[in-house]
Amino acid sequence: MNAVIYASRGGNTRKLADAVAGGAGVKAQAIADAVDLAQVDILFIGASLYAGRINKGLRQFLQALKEKQAAKAVVFGTSASGKSALAEIKSILESRGIPVSPEAFHCKGSFLCVNSGHPNTDDLARAGEFAKRVCDGGL
Ligand SMILES: Cc1cc2nc3c(=O)[nH]c(=O)nc-3n(C[C@H](O)[C@H](O)[C@H](O)COP(=O)(O)O)c2cc1C
């Protein structure tokens, strides 16, 4: 079984999470709704950057994951700069015994007057295809 969890303050990463979940054939869960996360094969994690870091609630959620709760984690997300949350998530999860795929999906997210309209329909389609490839073992 696979799962998609995410944290999103403004809705950009939630849109991406829904697209990733569509590609993975599951339902996306906001971290607040994912407290009873079962042991999973692939754990997709959606994150944005705020002042260069991931959301505090997501950090606490990841730190509380049980060792080997997921066979592997795959990161996706949005940010204004184009920088990904992969490095921060990788350092948390690998200390918990959960390997993190070097393959991640990242796109621009709207912020104030930059990246207006992102993630857009093309970003969402690519996110869904990415998740499908991961689940089919192609990544
Ligand atoms: C308070 C705040 C701080 C942010 N800091 C950064 C940042 O350091 N680097 C960056 O690339 N984007 C930054 N952003 C932009 C967000 O990462 C971007 O808008 C993202 O798509 C938000 O995702 P969300 O709508 O799912 O919360 C910031 C946004 C906010 C609201």
Side-chain angles (χ1 to χ4, degrees):
M1 196 186 98
N2 301 327
V4 177
I5 59 118
Y6 68 93
S8 177
R9 282 166 59 158
N12 291 338
T13 303
R14 179 180 47 72
K15 287 184 199 164
L16 214 52
D18 287 338
V20 166
V26 298
K27 195 169 178 299
Q29 301 177 79
I31 47 165
D33 302 328
V35 280
D36 291 327
L37 187 72
Q39 192 154 349
V40 294
D41 299 318
I42 304 171
L43 178 60
F44 290 92
I45 301 167
S48 308
L49 290 178
Y50 310 98
R53 299 197 66 191
I54 63 171
N55 167 274
K56 186 176 169 199
L58 177 61
R59 189 176 315 122
Q60 290 169 342
F61 177 90
L62 297 176
Q63 286 165 341
L65 283 176
K66 295 187 204 81
E67 200 152 329
K68 313 256 190 269
Q69 188 156 1
K72 84 167 173 179
V74 176
V75 174
F76 64 93
T78 63
S79 71
S81 62
K83 198 174 166 219
S84 148
L86 178 63
E88 186 177 352
I89 293 176
K90 191 173 159 73
S91 81
I92 298 169
L93 288 189
E94 291 192 342
S95 71
R96 312 225 34 86
I98 299 173
V100 179
S101 171
E103 305 291 343
F105 182 87
H106 189 80
C107 73
K108 291 181 209 164
S110 61
F111 176 51
L112 302 176
C113 52
V114 296
N115 304 334
S116 179
H118 286 277
N120 61 20
T121 50
D122 180 55
D123 297 326
L124 299 178
R126 287 187 300 110
E129 284 157 18
F130 168 80
K132 194 167 184 319
R133 272 203 316 280
V134 169
C135 294
D136 290 346
L139 276 180

